[in-house]
């Protein structure tokens, strides 16, 4: 059953006559490609149809989205769009609630559907991953060959490279930080000169699907602690990979990684990973702190990203994986340096 029919069946089973989808990422999910700037999808269970509503500005472009599951029509006004609607997302802007009376939330169902990727979605993620693989290898070589780059220059080079090679835009704000700033998991680049150690966390966006990869590059191998911590993080990542497959719980996988860190586990201050798709952070969260445990399933796309953050510097290494029955397929394949 395709995703349009699955969602229509869900609406019928829950007595939802009409659902209006406005969140761009959810529209992207149903289209399996980047949506028009202004668009909504209307699911009508009476007519058993799904319709993409778009503005005049995007009508010509939107003709290419029409298929056996989806009609295209011009948007007229919000009042007519939401007429008889009783199924909405929890992200619906509050200004639209005046058009809706009694309603049920459909977001949880869409989130559940988004966890398992279709073949087309996997291909889009693979293409995004290839772009970010090449970009991070390019930036690594750039940093190793130049000793007067700023963090902003590295970030700009990465984003320019990804755009040139097919990315719509970065899938999140590019992280390119060095020296003591690497101890900040979400540190932002500045005009500081890159020195000693460089952490780059980047992602591309292809047809609305994200990639996510992190590499840490040691620029000054004379500082002993850098390579020691780096090798621990890399070993933890390899240990997590060895246990990654359908059927393992996210809590167990996270705890395996933490135990493998030994004395350094107190410096691992975030979850082991997360799902990736039309958003950079999707279900499932690979964490031992979540309330309800989740079992990884075949077809999920997740990251593994152990990190250690001391008072002086941080190291994180991250890759993207497609969960399979007896293991995984690695979707990001940029070289991991050895020290």
């Amino acid at each position: 059953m395709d995703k349009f029919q699955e969602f229509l069946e869900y609406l019928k089973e829950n007595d939802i006559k009409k659902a209006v989808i406005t969140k761009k990422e959810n529209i992207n999910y149903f289209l399996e490609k980047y949506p028009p700037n202004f668009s909504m999808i209307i699911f009508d269970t009476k007519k058993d149809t799904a319709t993409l509503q778009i503005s005049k500005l995007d009508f010509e472009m939107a003709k290419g989205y029409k298929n056996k599951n989806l009609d295209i029509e011009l948007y007229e006004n919000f009042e007519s769009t939401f007429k008889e609607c009783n199924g909405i997302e929890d992200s619906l802007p509050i200004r639209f609630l005046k058009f809706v009376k009694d309603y049920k939330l459909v977001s949880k169902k869409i989130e559940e559907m988004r966890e398992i990727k279709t073949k087309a979605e996997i291909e889009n993620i693979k293409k995004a991953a290839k772009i970010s693989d090449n970009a991070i290898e390019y930036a690594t070589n750039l940093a190793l060959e130049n000793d007067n780059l700023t963090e902003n220059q590295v970030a700009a080079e990465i984003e320019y490279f990804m755009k040139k090679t097919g990315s719509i835009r970065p899938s999140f704000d590019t992280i390119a930080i060095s020296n003591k700033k690497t101890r900040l998991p979400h540190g932002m680049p500045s005009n500081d000169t890159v020195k000693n150690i460089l952490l780059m966390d980047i992602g591309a966006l292809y047809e609305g699907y994200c990639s996510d990869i992190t590499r840490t590059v040691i620029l000054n191998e004379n500082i002993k602690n850098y390579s020691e911590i780096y090798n621990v993080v890399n070993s933890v990542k390899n240990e997590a990979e060895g246990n990654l497959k359908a059927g393992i719980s996210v809590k167990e996988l996270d705890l395996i990684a933490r135990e493998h860190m030994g004395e350094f586990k107190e410096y691992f201050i975030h979850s082991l990973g997360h799902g990736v798709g039309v958003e950079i952070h999707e279900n499932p969260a690979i964490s031992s702190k979540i309330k309800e445990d989740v079992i990884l399933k075949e077809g999920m796309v997740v990251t593994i990203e152990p990190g250690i953050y001391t008072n002086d510097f941080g190291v994180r290494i991250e890759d993207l994986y497609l969960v399979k029955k007896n293991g995984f397929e690695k979707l990001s394949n940029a070289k991991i340096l050895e020290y």
Side-chain angles (χ1 to χ4, degrees):
M1 185 185 297
D2 65 68
K3 58 180 66 174
F4 285 94
Q5 281 304 125
E6 180 181 347
F7 191 61
L8 280 166
E9 287 302 314
Y10 161 80
L11 296 177
K12 292 173 187 175
E13 290 168 4
N14 289 273
D15 297 319
I16 298 173
K17 298 176 183 177
K18 181 179 178 181
V20 177
I21 306 304
T22 64
K23 184 176 179 178
K24 189 169 188 175
E25 291 83 3
N26 286 339
I27 295 169
N28 200 147
Y29 164 74
F30 282 106
L31 299 179
E32 293 188 346
K33 56 183 177 180
Y34 203 61
N37 186 49
F38 175 89
S39 52
M40 297 177 284
I41 296 182
I42 292 85
F43 287 89
D44 190 325
T45 57
K46 287 182 180 178
K47 300 176 183 177
D48 205 32
T49 60
T51 304
L52 180 68
Q53 278 194 359
I54 44 84
S55 71
K56 279 185 178 180
L57 296 175
D58 296 322
F59 186 72
E60 284 301 315
M61 178 186 73
K63 287 179 180 178
Y65 290 87
K66 186 173 182 178
N67 58 48
K68 64 178 182 178
N69 296 306
L70 188 70
D71 292 324
I72 310 294
E73 70 179 25
L74 279 173
Y75 158 80
E76 293 180 4
N77 55 65
F78 289 120
E79 190 171 0
S80 61
T81 296
F82 283 93
K83 186 178 181 181
E84 296 185 346
C85 170
N86 64 333
I88 61 173
E89 300 151 297
D90 56 17
S91 59
L92 183 74
I94 196 167
R95 69 180 184 275
F96 294 136
L97 287 179
K98 63 183 177 182
F99 301 117
V100 184
K101 293 182 180 179
D102 298 321
Y103 61 83
K104 296 179 180 179
L105 296 176
V106 300
S107 297
K108 188 174 181 181
K109 173 61 178 177
I110 298 176
E111 287 172 4
E112 289 173 357
M113 291 173 65
R114 280 170 45 179
E115 288 180 6
I116 308 298
K117 272 56 180 181
T118 66
K119 288 182 180 180
E121 289 180 297
I122 292 166
E123 284 306 307
N124 284 337
I125 295 170
K126 283 182 176 180
K127 288 174 181 176
K130 186 173 179 60
I131 292 169
S132 53
D133 279 351
N134 292 337
I136 211 156
E137 289 190 340
Y138 167 75
T140 296
N141 291 332
L142 195 69
L144 290 171
E145 294 166 4
N146 296 273
D147 58 6
N148 60 349
L149 292 171
T150 68
E151 295 169 345
N152 279 335
Q153 284 176 313
V154 174
E157 289 287 345
I158 288 168
E159 294 186 10
Y160 179 52
F161 187 99
M162 291 196 298
K163 186 71 172 179
K164 279 197 305 181
T165 52
S167 177
I168 296 169
R169 56 173 170 78
S171 55
F172 56 93
D173 291 338
T174 299
I175 297 173
I177 52 179
S178 73
N179 211 27
K180 287 193 173 184
K181 200 185 291 181
T182 56
R183 72 189 192 279
L184 307 173
H186 291 158
M188 297 303 294
S190 69
N191 283 326
D192 291 344
T193 301
V194 172
K195 60 182 178 181
N196 293 329
I197 187 168
L198 172 66
L199 188 154
M200 297 173 289
D201 189 348
I202 72 170
L205 193 73
Y206 185 87
E207 287 292 8
Y209 285 83
C210 304
S211 63
D212 194 359
I213 183 171
T214 304
R215 292 291 182 267
T216 302
V217 182
I218 297 175
L219 302 172
N220 184 353
E221 295 187 45
N222 293 322
I223 302 177
K224 181 183 177 182
N225 287 350
Y226 285 175
S227 58
E228 179 188 4
I229 297 297
Y230 182 96
N231 289 326
V232 170
V233 171
N234 199 25
S235 176
V236 169
K237 180 173 169 293
N238 291 334
E239 181 70 16
E241 282 183 357
N243 290 276
L244 177 60
K245 63 181 179 180
I248 192 169
S249 83
V250 296
K251 286 190 175 184
E252 182 183 357
L253 191 59
D254 183 272
L255 288 171
I256 287 170
R258 291 181 195 281
E259 287 306 308
H260 195 72
M261 277 192 175
E263 63 182 294
F264 295 103
K265 63 183 176 182
E266 67 178 289
Y267 300 105
F268 182 21
I269 58 176
H270 53 69
S271 63
L272 180 63
H274 54 86
V276 174
V278 290
E279 291 184 275
I280 196 61
H281 289 100
E282 295 191 348
N283 291 332
I286 303 179
S287 171
S288 52
K289 294 182 179 180
I290 58 173
K291 289 183 179 179
E292 295 183 15
D293 205 355
V294 175
I295 304 299
L296 291 182
K297 298 176 184 176
E298 189 171 12
M300 289 180 169
V301 172
V302 300
T303 67
I304 297 293
E305 50 178 307
I308 293 176
Y309 308 91
T310 71
N311 291 330
D312 297 315
F313 68 94
V315 172
R316 181 167 69 254
I317 307 173
E318 173 188 27
D319 278 316
L320 194 58
Y321 307 83
L322 172 63
V323 178
K324 293 200 165 185
K325 184 177 180 181
N326 295 311
F328 61 86
E329 179 183 350
K330 203 171 180 183
L331 302 185
S332 50
N333 292 289
K335 183 179 180 181
I336 296 177
L337 299 178
E338 295 183 1
Y339 298 102

